[in-house]
Amino acid sequence: MTKKVAVITGSHKGLGYAIARQLAQKEDIQVIITSRNLQDGISAQQRLANEGLQADVHALDVTSETSVKEFITWLQESYNRVDILVNNAGVNPTMQPQESSLLTVDMDTMLATFNTNVLAVARITQALIPLMQVNNYGRIVNVSTEMASLNSMGSDYYPLAPSYRLSKVGLNGLTAIFAKELQGTNILINAYSPGWMKTDMGGSDAPFTADEGAETAVYLATLPDGGSQGGFFAEMRKFGGAIALPW
Ligand SMILES: NC(=O)c1ccc[n+]([C@@H]2O[C@H](COP(=O)([O-])OP(=O)(O)OC[C@H]3O[C@@H](n4cnc5c(N)ncnc54)[C@H](OP(=O)(O)O)[C@@H]3O)[C@@H](O)[C@H]2O)c1
């Protein structure tokens, strides 16, 4: 059996690790854990091995052109294919004081947030789509947030988190444009909101675990042929099924 190869960015901890773990439980999927610090990825690989789960591991800093190029070269030499890409790696400066208002937000912080949450996703997705096109098969999952829905911009979130939310608006737009360009192919790209989760980013007050947040990613990463193209989904656990969110 030729296994499907799944790349998950930022998957040594948090939501990325939970997605890697759930995909590694599927017999027909070969998971590649990626982390910008290789040792972090190796530790995650070991944690999976302790549960009897197998995964490969490679360094990948999605904001670095050089790192992405090295990763693609290794992937081609080792597997010569990729079937699933989960764009999970992200940063969130929301707890910085200036993130309570778009009137005070610091432009360098906003730029750095866009660099990781939008440009880096464009970079790795651009780099991997040609490998998916070889087999006309791909499932791309972009991890967004319901706080990026334009419908939610009038909500009383505190802090208002302008850098984070606007970067995820950019990620949603990127999802829609890639979907337009991939229309008619069997490469499906979708975004979803995992819900507020107990991770280093989400903090301990969050109502969901990373494992719960991972379920919708796994659903989108394993969509059947003819499945959703260019959708924005809510966390399935919360709503009991795949529910579309307003952009
Ligand atoms: N937690 C929530 O409540 C929540 C809600 C909605 C959406 N999300 C989204 O879910 C995703 C995962 O978040 P999380 O909660 O699991 O947060 P997390 O525990 O802070 O994990 C973030 C991951 O992204 C990685 N990362 C950051 N910059 C990177 C880079 N340049 N290259 C490669 N990896 C990089 C981090 O690696 P390092 O350890 O090296 O920094 C880490 O593995 C993010 O996209 C986030 O926006 C989270």
Side-chain angles (χ1 to χ4, degrees), residues 49-93:
N50 293 343
E51 287 188 50
L53 298 171
Q54 187 275 338
D56 209 340
V57 61
H58 200 274
L60 176 61
D61 179 340
V62 288
T63 59
S64 159
E65 189 85 47
T66 308
S67 175
V68 169
K69 280 192 178 140
E70 280 171 10
F71 174 69
I72 303 290
T73 302
W74 171 83
L75 191 65
Q76 282 178 308
E77 285 170 4
S78 307
Y79 293 96
N80 199 27
R81 66 182 296 140
V82 66
D83 302 279
I84 296 166
L85 167 65
V86 183
N87 285 311
N88 165 78
V91 292
N92 183 350

Side-chain angles (χ1 to χ4, degrees), residues 2 7 11 29 80 86 122 144 185 198 205 216 219 233 246:
T2 307
V7 172
S11 46
I29 295 180
N80 199 27
V86 183
S144 184
T185 75
K198 288 181 185 58
D205 291 340
T216 316
Y219 165 78
F233 291 91

Side-chain angles (χ1 to χ4, degrees), residues 146-155 157 165 232 245-247:
E146 60 194 345
M147 291 171 75
S149 169
L150 292 178
N151 270 18
S152 81
M153 293 303 154
S155 304
Y157 289 122
R165 290 167 73 201
F232 179 30
L245 283 168
W247 290 109

Side-chain angles (χ1 to χ4, degrees), residues 10-16 36 40 60-63 88-91 116 143-145 164 168 194-197 199-202:
S11 46
H12 69 91
K13 68 172 185 174
L15 177 65
R36 53 181 159 182
D40 286 341
L60 176 61
D61 179 340
V62 288
T63 59
N88 165 78
V91 292
T116 302
V143 182
S144 184
T145 168
Y164 182 65
K168 295 291 188 178
W196 183 22
M197 300 167 296
T199 62
D200 286 349
M201 186 186 291

Side-chain angles (χ1 to χ4, degrees), residues 30-225:
Q30 170 64 54
V31 163
I32 318 282
I33 288 181
T34 68
S35 56
R36 53 181 159 182
N37 175 333
L38 179 60
Q39 197 49 52
D40 286 341
I42 292 171
S43 303
Q45 181 189 39
Q46 190 55 53
R47 292 203 302 281
L48 288 183
N50 293 343
E51 287 188 50
L53 298 171
Q54 187 275 338
D56 209 340
V57 61
H58 200 274
L60 176 61
D61 179 340
V62 288
T63 59
S64 159
E65 189 85 47
T66 308
S67 175
V68 169
K69 280 192 178 140
E70 280 171 10
F71 174 69
I72 303 290
T73 302
W74 171 83
L75 191 65
Q76 282 178 308
E77 285 170 4
S78 307
Y79 293 96
N80 199 27
R81 66 182 296 140
V82 66
D83 302 279
I84 296 166
L85 167 65
V86 183
N87 285 311
N88 165 78
V91 292
N92 183 350
T94 298
M95 295 327 286
Q96 296 180 16
Q98 70 274 12
E99 290 292 327
S100 60
S101 164
L102 188 50
L103 297 173
T104 58
V105 70
D106 169 64
M107 291 301 141
D108 288 339
T109 306
M110 188 177 269
L111 194 58
T113 310
F114 269 70
N115 192 31
T116 302
N117 294 359
V118 189
L119 302 189
V121 175
R123 178 183 294 108
I124 187 74
T125 308
Q126 264 187 0
L128 288 182
I129 283 176
L131 281 178
M132 294 178 171
Q133 285 170 327
V134 173
N135 300 312
N136 188 31
Y137 183 94
R139 301 291 180 262
I140 303 168
V141 184
N142 291 336
V143 182
S144 184
T145 168
E146 60 194 345
M147 291 171 75
S149 169
L150 292 178
N151 270 18
S152 81
M153 293 303 154
S155 304
D156 289 327
Y157 289 122
Y158 187 82
L160 281 178
S163 293
Y164 182 65
R165 290 167 73 201
L166 291 175
S167 74
K168 295 291 188 178
V169 170
L171 177 69
N172 286 355
L174 173 152
T175 307
I177 294 176
F178 269 130
K180 162 75 182 155
E181 297 205 52
L182 293 168
Q183 222 167 21
T185 75
N186 194 21
I187 302 172
L188 306 176
I189 182 165
N190 293 282
Y192 91 104
S193 169
W196 183 22
M197 300 167 296
K198 288 181 185 58
T199 62
D200 286 349
M201 186 186 291
S204 55
D205 291 340
F208 290 107
T209 64
D211 267 328
E212 289 168 339
E215 287 172 359
T216 316
V218 172
Y219 165 78
L220 293 171
T222 56
L223 280 175
D225 295 355

